[in-house]
Amino acid sequence: MIVCIGAGPGDTGYLTQRGAELIRNADVVAGFDAVLNVVQALIPASARVIGMGYRDQVAQLDKVAAEHHAGKRCVVVFMGDIHFSGFQYLERVERACGHPVESLPGISSAQILASRARVCFDETTFITFHRRGDLAPFKRHLVRVLEDQRNAIVIPCPWDEARSFMPWHIAAYLMEQGIPADHPVEVWENLTRGEAEWHGTLAECAEHRCSDMSIMLIRTLAPMASQIEPAP
């Protein structure tokens, strides 16, 4: 058995009961070191823990696959929700195993942000730059989203400086593409752990520095009017 679990945005209070149960009953628990630290208290003492980073994830996932094929109960833990920004990692798990694997969704920072900021996903487009490969199509998509008068929830790319696309990079890029410099933007950090909320314009955001644990909300300037019945 092997199951990929979304562990929530950094707080076990946002982990599903089913996910916690699978971790407690696992023979092998694997994941990036930062994610394993979040669920450490749930990992049984008898379990083999296989940690990894970006550089050694392929080799470490091969170890997990070997345990899976040996009949062990294996859990691979993802931060947030697997299908929000973890799908490339899921592909690597399935490549190592040689077949599709079961996945258990978790709560993402995008969902927490939508709740805190009171935006509706029906009127919002979610875009993640937390991915390997060419970011250009997703950058163009973000511009079109704003031109189409939709909210945008954006997960930045925090990797090495050569390709990182953090909120200040995103703000500068949007202004270069013709989005007005005074367009309002919000940057939220550590949503479940002493949240920090920053509000400003794109021009101000281009000068604002924040941590890797950041997510952006760019609200439409033309929000959709309520379609519920008029108040009596």
Side-chain angles (χ1 to χ4, degrees):
M1 180 200 82
I2 184 165
V3 183
C4 293
I5 294 175
D11 184 330
T12 53
Y14 293 89
L15 174 65
T16 66
Q17 293 184 43
R18 175 61 175 156
E21 177 186 4
L22 286 168
I23 294 171
R24 291 191 185 102
N25 293 319
D27 299 312
V28 178
V29 180
F32 280 80
D33 295 330
V35 187
L36 292 175
N37 289 338
V38 172
V39 300
Q40 185 63 51
L42 300 173
I43 300 175
S46 59
R48 179 184 180 188
V49 177
I50 301 178
M52 63 195 72
Y54 288 112
R55 296 183 185 277
D56 67 348
Q57 58 182 304
V58 173
Q60 295 298 86
L61 287 173
D62 285 342
K63 296 178 183 178
V64 179
E67 295 278 21
H68 160 58
H69 289 303
K72 299 293 181 64
R73 293 169 295 185
C74 301
V75 167
V76 183
V77 187
F78 291 56
M79 192 69 86
D81 182 87
I82 297 165
H83 302 284
F84 272 67
S85 58
F87 53 90
Q88 288 183 324
Y89 188 38
L90 175 62
E91 286 183 272
R92 291 189 179 96
V93 174
E94 294 186 330
R95 180 186 296 169
C97 292
H99 59 78
V101 304
E102 181 183 350
S103 63
L104 180 68
I107 296 174
S108 76
S109 56
Q111 292 165 299
I112 300 293
L113 173 57
S115 176
R116 296 275 171 84
R118 298 182 64 80
V119 293
C120 174
F121 265 111
D122 285 354
E123 302 163 18
T124 304
T125 297
F126 170 78
I127 300 175
T128 178
F129 294 107
H130 196 277
R131 58 188 301 135
R132 299 291 180 182
D134 185 11
L135 297 180
F138 303 94
K139 292 179 180 181
R140 292 193 296 268
H141 181 43
L142 174 58
V143 174
R144 291 194 296 269
V145 164
L146 298 177
E147 291 175 342
D148 287 344
Q149 300 294 342
R150 289 180 60 81
N151 303 308
I153 291 178
V154 183
I155 293 184
C157 176
W159 293 315
D160 59 277
E161 189 63 29
R163 73 181 308 275
S164 64
F165 199 48
M166 291 294 285
W168 56 93
H169 300 125
I170 295 170
Y173 169 79
L174 290 174
M175 289 188 292
E176 290 170 1
Q177 301 304 308
I179 303 299
D182 61 354
H183 194 112
V185 61
E186 301 166 27
V187 179
W188 297 64
E189 299 181 71
N190 298 312
L191 282 170
T192 62
R193 295 178 297 176
E195 68 200 71
E197 180 183 349
W198 181 90
H199 296 251
T201 64
L202 283 177
E204 292 168 334
C205 186
E207 304 299 324
H208 176 69
R209 296 298 181 267
C210 52
S211 72
D212 289 357
M213 297 291 289
S214 301
I215 186 170
M216 296 179 73
L217 171 62
I218 309 173
R219 295 181 188 267
T220 176
L221 298 180
M224 184 180 292
S226 173
Q227 296 179 318
I228 65 171
E229 67 282 354

